[in-house]
Amino acid sequence: MSDDATARAAALLKGHRESIDRLDAILVYTLGERFKHTQAVGKLKAEHDLPPSDPAREEAQIARLEDLATRADLDPEFAKKFLNFIIAEVIRHHRQQQS
Ligand SMILES: O=C(O)C(=O)C[C@]1(C(=O)O)C=C[C@@H](O)C=C1
């Protein structure tokens, strides 16, 4: 490949990586905000003796996210695994708040 083509590829790679870094920051801040709300939910659940998990709510969330993922060109299976991973961590926090 010519030096020009290599330099263009390097510039494109740099641009994509800058966008990826910005998007990763959005993900981290978004998750931080989500966990603030789930901590508040965990406190409410602990105070009112409510169960840490709500399978019906999770089912609705998964169905909604799968639909959103499909429309956003994201693999719905991945979206489901990702949400389940986050929810499992939230339930772990809820259990800690209740003990
Ligand atoms: O909505 C709740 O009841 C929550 O505790 C929050 C949350 C979630 O992370 O979205 C976590 C656990 C429940 O099973 C369902 C949803």
Side-chain angles (χ1 to χ4, degrees), residues 5 19 21-22 29 36-37 40 44-45 57 59 74 85 94 96 99:
S19 296
D21 285 347
R22 281 192 292 271
Y29 277 96
K36 277 183 197 155
H37 287 284
L44 275 174
K45 286 187 168 184
R57 164 75 176 146
E59 205 180 304
L74 179 71
F85 177 70
H94 286 354
Q96 281 174 349
S99 60

Side-chain angles (χ1 to χ4, degrees), residues 34 38 41-42 45 51-55 57-58 61 83 86-87 90-91 94:
R34 190 184 198 283
T38 57
V41 169
K45 286 187 168 184
S53 73
D54 181 340
R57 164 75 176 146
E58 288 178 31
Q61 286 170 286
L83 188 63
I86 294 167
I87 289 176
V90 171
I91 291 171
H94 286 354

Side-chain angles (χ1 to χ4, degrees), residues 34-87:
R34 190 184 198 283
F35 275 102
K36 277 183 197 155
H37 287 284
T38 57
Q39 285 293 111
V41 169
K43 187 168 180 282
L44 275 174
K45 286 187 168 184
E47 286 167 353
H48 297 274
D49 219 15
L50 294 167
S53 73
D54 181 340
R57 164 75 176 146
E58 288 178 31
E59 205 180 304
Q61 286 170 286
I62 299 288
R64 176 173 173 270
L65 219 78
E66 281 175 334
D67 180 51
L68 280 174
T70 304
R71 285 190 275 138
D73 282 336
L74 179 71
D75 177 3
E77 233 353 88
F78 171 76
K80 179 178 170 173
K81 272 193 251 170
F82 184 60
L83 188 63
N84 275 328
F85 177 70
I86 294 167
I87 289 176

Side-chain angles (χ1 to χ4, degrees), residues 5-18:
T6 305
R8 269 200 305 277
L12 283 171
L13 178 62
K14 184 170 180 288
H16 287 304
R17 284 182 173 169
E18 284 166 357

